[in-house]
Amino acid sequence: MNDSVSTPQLPITIGVTGASGLIYAVRTIKFLLASNYTIDLVASKATYSVWQAEQNIKMPAEAARQEKFWREQAGEESNGKLCCHAWQDIGANIASGSYRTKGMIIIPCSMGTVGKLAAGFSSDLLERAADVQLKEGGKLILVPRETPFSLIHLRNLTTLAEAGARIVPAIPAWYHNPQTIEDLVDFVVARALDQFGLDCVPIKRWIGHE
């Protein structure tokens, strides 16, 4: 059952870092908006460079212009609600523990962000919003996109898991017989959103041997 019928529906915070794999963020936004969820989105400063490197696209620097940009990339022009925040706006609502959310997902999540969060260091809005989820006992889902993991990466991820974060690596499965890159990406997005109890990504799930 789609959880979007619940009233009132708490917003979901999405953080996008400078890790490779922006398609993961785009598909997450697409499915949440299509299901009429409310999203608070913050992209790190490094995200601008990744858009240029991966798609040769310039992401608007102004938060006020980013909603249209992300909606166009996701192919969802009108559904749901999307509020974009500037990475340096540490006074935004998602920076406060009193702002109620369903939780936060960082997708894709860089190892730099993982390291800062593990050390309790918040240098921008994305990191502060994630730190808020940890201190408030909220849901923080991390989708790291890195390989191989160094021992430092693994220790930092373990620290965050011990602090309550859920780690969902960008590792697709194959039992659903993927035919496209989107099929592989959507599997990861679905498993990440499963951590919120959301079922809004149309994927073939494992039901056992026939």
Side-chain angles (χ1 to χ4, degrees):
M1 179 179 295
N2 194 320
D3 192 42
S4 63
V5 297
S6 302
T7 303
Q9 183 62 238
L10 293 177
I12 298 172
T13 303
I14 295 181
V16 186
T17 74
S20 180
L22 287 174
I23 188 173
Y24 289 107
V26 170
R27 300 293 284 184
T28 301
I29 294 167
K30 173 183 176 62
F31 291 118
L32 289 176
L33 290 180
S35 296
N36 288 314
Y37 285 99
T38 297
I39 299 172
D40 282 297
L41 187 146
V42 55
S44 72
K45 185 178 181 180
T47 307
Y48 300 85
S49 299
V50 179
W51 268 114
Q52 189 71 41
E54 291 189 349
Q55 300 292 332
N56 196 27
I57 296 175
K58 288 187 177 181
M59 185 177 79
E62 304 83 2
R65 296 175 54 202
Q66 288 181 13
E67 177 184 352
K68 180 180 179 181
F69 172 83
W70 285 104
R71 283 186 176 277
E72 288 177 347
Q73 299 305 314
E76 285 294 335
E77 300 295 332
S78 58
N79 292 319
K81 182 178 179 181
L82 176 62
C83 179
C84 297
H85 304 277
W87 63 269
Q88 69 271 39
D89 184 12
I90 57 174
N93 52 14
I94 58 176
S96 173
S98 65
Y99 180 65
R100 299 189 64 208
T101 73
K102 198 172 184 67
M104 180 176 185
I105 178 172
I106 304 180
I107 182 169
C109 185
S110 68
M111 287 299 106
T113 299
V114 166
K116 289 182 179 179
L117 295 180
F121 181 68
S122 301
S123 62
D124 60 19
L125 177 60
L126 188 154
E127 293 157 9
R128 169 58 185 173
D131 189 54
V132 163
Q133 293 298 326
L134 291 176
K135 80 180 184 71
E136 296 292 329
K139 289 188 176 181
L140 177 62
I141 316 302
L142 306 180
V143 183
R145 212 304 309 155
E146 183 63 89
T147 190
F149 288 135
S150 72
L151 181 58
I152 293 173
H153 297 157
L154 294 170
R155 284 177 172 163
N156 286 336
L157 288 170
T158 299
T159 295
L160 290 173
E162 291 173 339
R166 298 290 293 175
I167 312 300
V168 185
I171 302 174
W174 300 93
Y175 58 75
H176 59 304
N177 192 27
Q179 301 297 305
T180 66
I181 291 177
E182 286 76 14
D183 290 340
L184 295 171
V185 170
D186 292 351
F187 178 88
V188 173
V189 171
R191 297 297 289 122
L193 294 181
D194 279 349
Q195 309 310 303
F196 292 112
L198 305 181
D199 186 9
C200 58
V201 183
I203 64 166
K204 181 181 179 181
R205 295 180 179 273
W206 179 252
I207 57 174
H209 296 290
E210 296 181 357

